[in-house]
Amino acid sequence: MAIDIGGTKIAGALVHPDGTMSATTRRATPRGADAEGVMAAVTEVVADLSGSPLWASAVRCGIGSAGPVDTSRGTVSPVNIGAWREFPVQARVAAELAAHGAELPTVLAGDGVAMTAAEHWLGAARGHANALCMVVSTGVGGGLILNNQLHPGPTGNAGHIGHMSVAFDGEPCVCGSRGCVESIASGTAIARWAREQGWTPEAGASGGNGAGSTRDASAAGVAAAAAAGDPVALAAFDRAGRALAAAIAATATLVETDIAVIGGGVAASGDVLFAPIRTHLAAYATLSFVKELQVVPATLGTHAGLIGAAAAATMLLPSPPSP
């Protein structure tokens, strides 16, 4: 059983051992609701799942959630769900399952860790014993596979590469540190820096090359402009790629990962993002044991949340006793 909680949707599914899904359901994440109002949407998702004929076959439940998370306490404080601060989501979901006759072991995973579990099980990190997986979107998160095991850390935040500092004299980050990867390479940061350098969608469109013709001032608009050759947009992605490359190389040097898988909305920019990452990686990953480090796009897309919640449950919870 998998539940995926994010700022725009709350989804659920029953996930088979081969990764296929049944009884998929979703609700919009309530806007302006209090904590119980948001939980009500989760309750509805559980109720939907309980109507499946496969409900009684479930053996464990994985909950993936936007963070911050504290898996040692089973609580979440998602940046994009303001009503939930230290909300005991794991205990509340377990109670809902029991109310529908399914007293299952449950586990909570942050969305970056869940994505990592998914990509290792069925995606781009499959077959790699040591991997870093990342989500580059409005924020930058991640997770680690070490010796074929998911490594969430004591509170579920290991691998949170977005708050690794790569610029000692960089600008302050929302986390309180300086020069964090997220403050340089998130979609929000890319768009902000490009605008600060004078880029606008209108300026891109006036060049006659189609850049920014969608009048999109987000990172997607900057990516379109970069693909069309706009120098400021290209510089914005080069700057982001360098920050990501430095952090990927540092992680690989520390724990000997041999692949970095990158998903999220900014990764949809394709070579606009991946080309500068790979170029700069050559300057940072110089030791013999990291020279062959690969950087590849994630493959599971929007399914990563639910598949990852199920994968995290499989990897972190004990197997049920044999009948």
Side-chain angles (χ1 to χ4, degrees):
M1 192 177 306
I3 296 173
D4 178 29
I5 299 170
T8 59
K9 63 143 186 1
I10 296 167
L14 299 176
V15 183
H16 298 255
D18 64 357
T20 57
M21 295 186 289
S22 298
T24 55
T25 183
R26 62 187 290 166
R27 294 289 187 280
T29 304
R31 298 288 184 188
D34 61 10
E36 290 304 319
V38 178
M39 185 62 205
V42 179
T43 299
E44 291 175 7
V45 165
V46 173
D48 286 352
L49 295 177
S50 72
S52 167
L54 294 171
W55 173 257
S57 301
V59 294
R60 56 176 74 87
C61 176
I63 307 160
S65 176
V69 303
D70 184 345
T71 58
S72 67
R73 299 170 58 219
T75 61
V76 297
S77 302
V79 171
N80 50 10
I81 305 178
W84 277 7
R85 289 296 171 266
E86 298 186 5
F87 187 78
V89 69
Q90 185 174 343
R92 293 294 300 273
V93 167
E96 287 299 324
L97 299 180
H100 289 85
E103 296 192 18
L104 300 180
T106 63
V107 70
L108 172 64
D111 51 7
V113 171
M115 175 266 193
T116 299
E119 291 290 337
H120 183 256
W121 181 24
L122 296 173
R126 189 173 186 175
H128 291 265
N130 301 285
L132 166 69
C133 297
M134 303 172 63
V135 179
V136 183
S137 186
T138 52
V140 177
L144 290 166
I145 296 288
L146 300 178
N147 296 323
N148 278 314
Q149 299 295 314
L150 189 62
H151 181 74
T155 66
N157 292 289
H160 200 342
I161 193 169
H163 294 290
M164 178 184 291
S165 179
V166 292
F168 295 145
D169 297 320
E171 63 186 75
C173 179
V174 293
C175 75
S177 184
R178 280 187 174 273
C180 291
V181 174
E182 183 172 299
S183 70
I184 300 170
S186 70
T188 306
I190 290 169
R192 183 182 65 247
W193 187 87
R195 292 193 300 269
E196 288 172 351
Q197 305 307 307
W199 177 86
T200 65
E202 292 78 7
S206 66
N209 57 11
S213 58
T214 59
R215 305 179 72 84
D216 185 351
S218 71
V222 180
D230 182 278
V232 173
L234 284 166
F237 271 89
D238 185 75
R239 180 174 179 267
R242 184 179 182 186
L244 290 166
I248 290 167
T251 302
T253 302
L254 184 67
V255 294
E256 289 200 59
T257 51
D258 58 19
I259 190 170
V261 177
I262 305 179
V266 178
S269 304
D271 280 346
V272 168
L273 177 69
F274 283 91
I277 292 174
R278 291 168 179 147
T279 296
H280 288 294
L281 192 65
Y284 291 110
T286 58
L287 292 169
S288 59
F289 61 92
V290 293
K291 278 188 173 181
E292 301 303 316
L293 178 61
Q294 301 176 56
V295 178
V296 301
T299 60
L300 296 177
T302 57
H303 297 299
L306 286 170
I307 291 174
T314 300
M315 298 179 82
L316 298 175
L317 291 171
S319 298
S322 300

